[in-house]
Amino acid sequence: MFSRSMYTLGAQPSSIRELFEFGRQRAKELGAEKVFDFSLGNPSIPAPALVAEAITQVLAKESPIAIHGYTSAVGSDACRDAIAENLNSRYRTKYKKDNLFITCGAAPALGAAFRALAADDGRSEFVVIAPFFPEYRVFIGASGGKPVIVPADTKRFQIDFAALEASINENTAAVLINSPNNPSGVVYTEETIKTLANLLKKKSDELGRPIFLISDEPYRELAYGGVNVPFVPNYYNNTIVCYSFSKSLSLPGERIGYVLVPDSVEDSRTIFTAIAGASRSMGHVCAPSLMQHVITACINLVPDVTVYERNANLLYEALTSYGYNCAKPDGAFYLFFEAPCGISGKEFSDYAKERHNVLVVPGDGFGCPNWLRLSYCVDTERVKNALPLLKQTIDELKKK
Ligand code: PLP
């Protein structure tokens, strides 16, 4: 006996992973310089040198038992104090360690948040705004809740508020946002966040209970050109933040992040306890102790996004000039563009892959089937070398 649903999940191919594997195979056959893999969102900027220093110092100073032992289930006091202080100094908040639950990155933070908020009757709905990170469907499904997708505003990649309002009903547990966004690279403006907060307040009043806002923020620190990334809990009291150091400190393999449940959340201690319970139910407690030491030491580091910003500008300007319709990237390390000449994202992806060994991810999994995601967390040289191929691709498609 085994779980059919879990088997199905394990067997389901991920189009991103498939492209990545294809790229590896092609690179073996043709040479790495001939394959342009823009499929994965793996940071290409190395972790700051201070991270390695912090690891060395922790190893030298602390007892191995303390470094490698279990921390408390919610995370160490020192790590949670450091994160609270950092947030307080940046956003004029008054968080304490008790508002923070340390996780193995944003994925389990989200998993815990969905499970904590999904009512036991199986009727809870989570509103997800396209384009979105494909794993949300998996996490929400596993919580027993149901994802409700709001179609993308493909003009500005902000929020289509009429569509959002229509998607909220008596079963809505929470709305989920992700800004800077994977895959669009767009940051929600302050006006968007304010309008969202007002809508959720109105709807919560109508329902007589809070609709929570889950803010998934692994790219919070990756914004360019002075663009403001509004700190969402300062606009809407019932916000739960899921954060990760995977992208901001280039530590995706180290699995470290947190859930923030501010005191302003209605019944915040109950919600926090439900998050702890949800994490426990997934066997997910005591995030890696060494990494908690590192975060404690490195919490005030600010990533250098020069390379991502350069790549974003290069690609946006070039692709737009070739005739592609692109979302203007404000951050993260993704460029989202529309498949030209009326073909689907999948058709474009297959064509660019077969013809030019350029690997870009079709947008169906992100809830935008006519669009594609290009991850530019690669060397700038690689971006430059791919530009003529992206030009050739659109020129050839126009002639078809
Ligand atoms: N949320 C978004 C939008 C992401 O892009 C990712 C990873 O790419 C995650 C969550 C998961 O992050 P982590 O690696 O910290 O679990």
Side-chain angles (χ1 to χ4, degrees):
M1 264 206 333
F2 61 94
S3 159
R4 285 257 156 230
S5 60
M6 289 301 140
Y7 171 79
T8 308
L9 200 54
Q12 224 169 49
S14 139
S15 58
I16 302 178
R17 284 273 153 199
E18 275 185 336
L19 270 174
F20 175 69
E21 292 307 334
F22 173 92
R24 275 169 42 141
Q25 192 51 39
R26 270 278 158 106
K28 272 191 210 147
E29 292 157 20
L30 304 177
E33 72 292 347
K34 300 236 171 66
V35 181
F36 299 90
D37 183 355
F38 300 112
S39 62
L40 277 192
N42 218 359
S44 57
I45 295 174
L50 272 177
V51 167
E53 272 174 42
I55 294 174
T56 318
Q57 278 188 13
V58 170
L59 290 175
K61 277 206 305 215
E62 306 275 343
S63 89
I65 303 291
I67 303 165
H68 302 301
Y70 290 125
T71 64
S72 68
V74 290
S76 75
D77 287 359
C79 185
R80 293 184 302 141
D81 276 337
I83 295 168
E85 268 170 39
N86 173 269
L87 292 172
N88 293 342
S89 67
R90 293 165 69 195
Y91 302 117
R92 286 183 285 140
T93 49
K94 293 200 171 123
Y95 301 137
K96 293 185 245 42
K97 66 175 187 316
D98 294 344
N99 299 111
L100 290 152
F101 188 97
I102 309 296
T103 62
C104 296
L110 288 160
F114 293 129
R115 281 170 194 245
L117 299 181
D120 294 316
D121 63 10
R123 295 208 333 228
S124 296
E125 296 182 357
F126 293 94
V127 177
V128 177
I129 297 160
F132 54 84
F133 179 52
E135 293 300 286
Y136 293 158
R137 283 186 187 277
V138 177
F139 303 155
I140 293 171
S143 77
K146 189 177 131 210
V148 174
I149 309 298
V150 174
D153 151 23
T154 51
K155 291 259 170 327
R156 294 176 60 227
F157 287 98
Q158 296 292 315
I159 297 177
D160 175 345
F161 282 105
L164 173 60
E165 182 157 10
S167 73
I168 294 175
N169 61 45
E170 68 279 6
N171 294 323
T172 307
V175 171
L176 171 64
I177 57 169
N178 164 228
S179 165
N181 183 263
N182 174 9
S184 77
V186 171
V187 170
Y188 286 162
T189 62
E190 186 176 33
E191 191 197 336
T192 294
I193 299 296
K194 281 183 175 165
T195 311
L196 175 63
N198 287 337
L199 175 65
L200 293 184
K201 276 178 211 150
K202 184 181 95 171
K203 287 287 170 188
S204 298
D205 286 347
E206 280 171 24
L207 290 174
R209 62 161 176 85
I211 295 176
F212 295 100
L213 180 58
I214 301 174
S215 184
D216 177 26
E217 306 187 351
Y219 303 94
R220 190 203 294 146
E221 328 302 345
L222 306 186
Y224 326 129
V227 76
N228 170 34
V229 182
F231 186 65
V232 184
N234 285 351
Y235 296 83
Y236 186 64
N237 284 345
N238 285 301
T239 302
I240 293 164
V241 173
C242 296
Y243 185 86
S244 167
F245 296 94
S246 294
K247 320 284 172 168
S248 59
L249 291 183
S250 295
L251 294 173
E254 304 300 349
R255 315 307 301 136
I256 192 85
Y258 61 80
V259 184
L260 167 73
V261 183
D263 288 341
S264 61
V265 166
E266 196 170 311
D267 289 329
S268 70
R269 287 330 297 164
T270 308
I271 299 297
F272 188 92
T273 306
I275 284 178
S279 251
R280 182 180 174 192
S281 78
M282 297 189 287
H284 171 272
V285 286
C286 318
S289 165
L290 175 59
M291 279 305 122
Q292 293 192 49
H293 279 90
V294 169
I295 295 306
T296 308
C298 297
I299 188 68
N300 293 322
L301 284 181
V302 179
D304 175 1
V305 295
T306 318
V307 176
Y308 297 150
E309 183 165 11
R310 189 167 58 223
N311 290 355
N313 291 339
L314 253 174
L315 278 160
Y316 180 73
E317 273 156 36
L319 265 65
T320 308
S321 77
Y322 304 156
Y324 288 98
N325 177 26
C326 306
K328 183 146 185 0
D330 299 314
F333 33 55
Y334 305 110
L335 181 92
F336 208 43
F337 65 97
E338 192 174 12
C341 310
I343 63 173
S344 70
K346 174 84 174 83
E347 285 164 332
F348 182 97
S349 173
D350 288 346
Y351 185 85
K353 175 176 91 171
E354 294 303 337
R355 185 99 186 163
H356 297 295
N357 297 308
V358 172
L359 310 185
V360 282
V361 183
D364 2 5
F366 304 115
C368 284
N370 297 332
W371 289 69
L372 295 114
R373 186 188 79 176
L374 189 160
S375 302
Y376 53 78
C377 37
V378 296
D379 289 349
T380 304
E381 229 20 60
R382 204 130 197 87
V383 171
K384 284 187 182 156
N385 292 339
L387 291 180
L389 299 173
L390 287 158
K391 176 156 181 7
Q392 248 172 290
T393 307
I394 192 168
D395 290 346
E396 287 162 7
L397 288 169
K398 277 184 188 158
K399 283 192 205 125
K400 277 193 158 200

